């Protein structure tokens, strides 16, 4: 670049690798702000206006951020996203955050966004993985508590094959609720990261999941309105409060960093000790 072509008033950091943040929502933006300290940002959301508004806000704060509209349930759109990542690379980090909570849709829609969408993203971005690339898939405490029959999980593991809901319901022996779809989809993410660690490792990459507990976020607030179960669980949390989005960003930052360079194929549970307390309740 000659002196004549250097632009002013921009935050370009061509010397940094790219962090792909899938979700311009609450935890998505918290992750973007943290990873954007050392990465260029590609902020991805189905909601084009929300993604661009998020990226514009980040640019105003000094981040090198651009947006990309993508519905992660649309295989062709995910392929276009992978092309964009290839153009903007090198691909440093994926924070895959987007999901629907149980109040946000039917069981079928939840399986499609939370499970098929995440699998499509993993599949499309794998060829771009290089030495040091890290993927972090946001799962949930829900994956750790409650029943996930193995026969159901075997079907969930095949999320890219047709008739996902039908196969899961046949394995479950009944129609499933949106809460069950949420739990199964999040447990399947843990299994995806475990199963795919070897493939990512062949290219020098790492793949992990992160399970937040009860987090003070817009999605968390919606579930508090709609789920009496959360009101029962909160007082049982050994760290007696909701977690913050910043604490999830802390964990994402750690998993993406060199400090976690030997961590792959596992889940990091960031739940203030709730799942442990539930396991040992009444003992
Ligand atoms: N808040 C909690 O208490 C809690 C607890 C456990 C896990 N989690 C997990 O944390 C994540 C919450 O993320 P958030 O705070 O950014 O949520 P959010 O609801 O604020 O944002 C989700 C974003 O995903 C986008 N999205 C929805 N469907 C999409 C699709 N098909 N393609 C592309 N984008 C799509 C939405 O437009 C939205 O911007 C979820 O994975 C959730 O399961 C949250």
């Amino acid at each position: 670049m000659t002196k004549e072509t250097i632009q002013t008033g921009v935050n370009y950091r061509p010397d940094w690798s790219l962090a792909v943040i899938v979700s311009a929502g609450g935890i998505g933006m918290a992750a973007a702000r943290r990873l954007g300290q050392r990465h260029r940002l590609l902020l991805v959301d189905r909601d084009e206006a929300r993604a661009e508004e998020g990226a514009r806000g980040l640019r105003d704060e000094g981040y090198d951020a651009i947006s990309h509209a993508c519905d992660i349930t649309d295989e062709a759109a995910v392929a276009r996203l992978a092309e964009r990542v290839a153009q903007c690379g090198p691909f440093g980090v994926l924070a895959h955050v987007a999901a629907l909570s149980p109040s946000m849709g039917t069981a079928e829609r939840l399986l499609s966004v939370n499970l098929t969408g995440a699998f499509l993203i993993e599949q499309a971005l794998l060829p771009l993985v290089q030495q040091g690339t890290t993927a972090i898939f946001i799962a949930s405490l829900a994956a750790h508590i409650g029943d996930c029959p193995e026969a159901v999980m075997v079907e969930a593991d095949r999320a890219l094959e047709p008739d996902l809901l039908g196969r899961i319901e046949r394995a479950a022996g009944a129609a499933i609720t949106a809460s069950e779809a949420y739990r199964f989809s999040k447990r399947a993410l843990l299994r995806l990261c475990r199963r795919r660690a070897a493939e990512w490792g062949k290219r020098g990459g790492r793949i992990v999941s992160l399970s937040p507990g009860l987090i003070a976020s817009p999605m968390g607030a919606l579930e508090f309105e709609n789920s009496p179960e959360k009101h029962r669980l909160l007082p049982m949390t050994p760290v007696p409060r909701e977690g913050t989005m910043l604490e999830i960003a802390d964990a994402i930052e750690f998993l993406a960093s060199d400090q976690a360079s030997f961590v792959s194929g596992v889940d990091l549970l960031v739940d203030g000790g709730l799942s442990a307390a539930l396991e040992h309740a009444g003992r």
Side-chain angles (χ1 to χ4, degrees):
M1 195 179 277
T2 65
K3 278 190 181 162
E4 292 72 40
T5 61
I6 293 177
Q7 277 182 267
T8 58
V10 292
N11 314 311
Y12 295 156
R13 289 301 305 256
D15 48 326
W16 283 351
S17 67
L18 186 74
V20 182
I21 316 290
V22 184
S23 165
I27 293 176
M29 289 304 292
R33 286 201 166 79
R34 195 61 62 84
L35 293 173
Q37 305 280 333
R38 290 287 173 274
H39 296 87
R40 287 178 288 119
L41 296 170
L42 183 64
L43 190 62
V44 180
D45 204 288
R46 181 186 55 179
D47 182 336
E48 186 172 6
R50 189 175 210 192
E52 182 44 32
E53 189 187 327
R56 193 183 317 116
L58 290 166
R59 286 194 294 273
D60 289 345
E61 296 171 36
Y63 293 91
D64 183 342
I66 50 176
S67 66
H68 183 95
C70 174
D71 180 339
I72 57 172
T73 65
D74 175 346
E75 191 166 1
V78 172
R80 286 194 293 279
L81 169 63
E83 281 168 25
R84 184 94 190 264
V85 175
Q87 282 160 12
C88 300
F91 174 31
V93 184
L94 164 69
H96 184 87
V97 185
L100 302 181
S101 61
S103 313
M104 290 177 171
T106 60
E108 185 165 29
R109 186 79 191 129
L110 262 78
L111 289 178
S112 168
V113 175
N114 299 6
L115 187 46
T116 308
F119 277 43
L120 286 173
I121 291 281
E122 188 276 334
Q123 176 180 267
L125 295 187
L126 176 65
L128 306 178
V129 172
Q130 56 180 52
Q131 191 61 42
T133 306
T134 307
I136 300 145
F137 283 85
I138 302 302
S140 171
L141 167 68
H144 296 264
I145 58 178
D147 198 23
C148 291
E150 181 58 23
V152 169
M153 295 318 301
V154 167
E155 298 303 333
D157 288 344
R158 295 166 43 220
L160 298 182
E161 295 174 29
D163 190 26
L164 179 58
L165 177 66
R167 286 188 286 108
I168 284 181
E169 292 194 328
R170 282 192 291 281
I176 63 166
T177 64
S179 289
E180 286 171 319
Y182 186 78
R183 182 164 76 241
F184 299 155
S185 68
K186 294 299 189 176
R187 178 74 73 92
L189 278 190
L190 269 56
R191 292 164 67 107
L192 171 77
C193 294
R194 209 163 172 75
R195 200 167 56 246
R196 303 299 285 162
E199 274 312 306
W200 281 62
K202 280 181 199 161
R203 296 171 172 271
R206 299 184 291 114
I207 178 169
V208 293
S209 56
L210 189 171
S211 291
L214 305 180
I215 306 301
S217 70
M219 179 186 279
L222 181 69
E223 292 308 306
F224 262 106
E225 272 174 33
N226 295 315
S227 162
E229 176 68 358
K230 283 189 78 165
H231 291 277
R232 186 182 74 81
L233 291 176
L234 185 58
M236 297 177 74
T237 307
V239 180
R241 58 175 174 81
E242 282 183 286
T244 65
M245 291 185 275
L246 294 187
E247 287 169 305
I248 300 305
D250 285 338
I252 291 173
E253 182 181 32
F254 164 69
L255 289 169
S257 76
D258 273 354
Q259 272 67 42
S261 49
F262 205 50
V263 180
S264 192
V266 291
D267 183 69
L268 178 60
L269 186 55
V270 184
D271 72 343
L274 179 54
S275 64
L278 288 170
E279 191 181 325
H280 294 282
R283 288 193 199 162

